[in-house]
Amino acid sequence: MTSYGQFCPVAKAMELLDERWTILVVRELLLGSRHFNELRRGVPKMSPALLTKRLRGLERAGVVRRSEVGGRSVYTLTDKGEELTEVVTALSAWGTRWIGELGDADLDPHLLMWDIHRTVPIDRWPRRRTMVEFDFRDVIGKEGSWWLVVSDGEAQVCDVNPGYDIDATVVTDLRTLTEVWRGDIDWRTALREDRITVLAQADVRRDVPEWIGQSMASAIPRPA
């Protein structure tokens, strides 16, 4: 851990939190990830070895607690860690308002689909098992196709077709869906400009934007 050599509380906090990926690991824990593989899906560009190192560092600092349940490690935030909720929320709001430009390196179908699946408004979906396919026309290979399944009140995202009937296919590019999810543009605009096409029966086609929705950050006001 790097020392700034200052008594300032901000400096002392950042000695722990400004290590690469650390605050994003905390973000994932705040969003409900509990197992190592869940954490990895939220930080897909982070190596397993570095994730292990960061988790151990957060344990030593008293921010994370590790327990064993059914032979699996479960990671949860301590009271000390939960106090970072306001910090992460404030960073998210500030980044949404003032750091809006996305480079190509910032676009990641793994993180996008993982984030979508954990916050889709499940109550708006049909009560039967429903599957929506996502076809990213600009992403080459298997990462260009994803499937979101909602069944029994739970959402699951798959990078391999699970074989269920497809209720709708969303055809778009990775940047457009990322911008819609973040709230940079809305579904209506993306559909009107043919940046997103929904292939489905008319009633389903109308409902898909409500099924998917937008991220929590989309409600944050932007500067004029």
Side-chain angles (χ1 to χ4, degrees), residues 25-34 39 64 75-77:
V25 174
V26 172
R27 177 200 69 191
E28 290 305 304
L29 290 163
L30 287 169
L31 289 172
S33 293
R34 293 292 176 263
L39 290 165
V64 169
Y75 298 92
T76 54
L77 290 166

Side-chain angles (χ1 to χ4, degrees), residues 46-168:
M46 185 182 188
S47 72
L50 185 54
L51 176 55
T52 298
K53 181 179 179 180
R54 292 293 183 261
L55 286 169
R56 287 174 178 169
L58 290 168
E59 281 186 73
R60 289 193 299 269
V63 173
V64 169
R65 179 187 301 108
R66 182 173 67 88
S67 57
E68 294 287 330
V69 178
R72 298 181 66 191
S73 293
V74 178
Y75 298 92
T76 54
L77 290 166
T78 62
D79 290 343
K80 181 178 179 179
E82 289 287 353
E83 283 195 25
L84 290 169
T85 300
E86 293 183 10
V87 175
V88 174
T89 300
L91 283 171
S92 176
W94 187 84
T96 298
R97 282 196 294 268
W98 301 109
I99 313 294
E101 185 174 348
L102 295 177
D104 289 343
D106 300 323
L107 305 176
D108 186 341
H110 294 268
L111 176 58
L112 175 62
M113 296 307 304
W114 179 249
D115 201 37
I116 287 174
H117 110 280
R118 60 186 170 191
T119 56
V120 290
I122 292 177
D123 59 320
R124 299 179 187 173
W125 289 62
R127 294 298 173 260
R128 59 178 174 79
R129 182 175 61 204
T130 308
M131 184 166 78
V132 176
E133 179 182 36
F134 292 81
D135 181 10
F136 295 115
R137 54 198 174 207
D138 60 327
V139 179
I140 299 173
K142 67 182 296 291
E143 294 181 349
S145 296
W146 296 79
W147 294 265
L148 183 62
V149 182
V150 170
S151 180
D152 297 326
E154 294 186 358
Q156 179 183 10
V157 65
C158 307
D159 58 2
V160 175
N161 191 337
Y164 306 132
D165 291 338
I166 296 174
D167 294 273

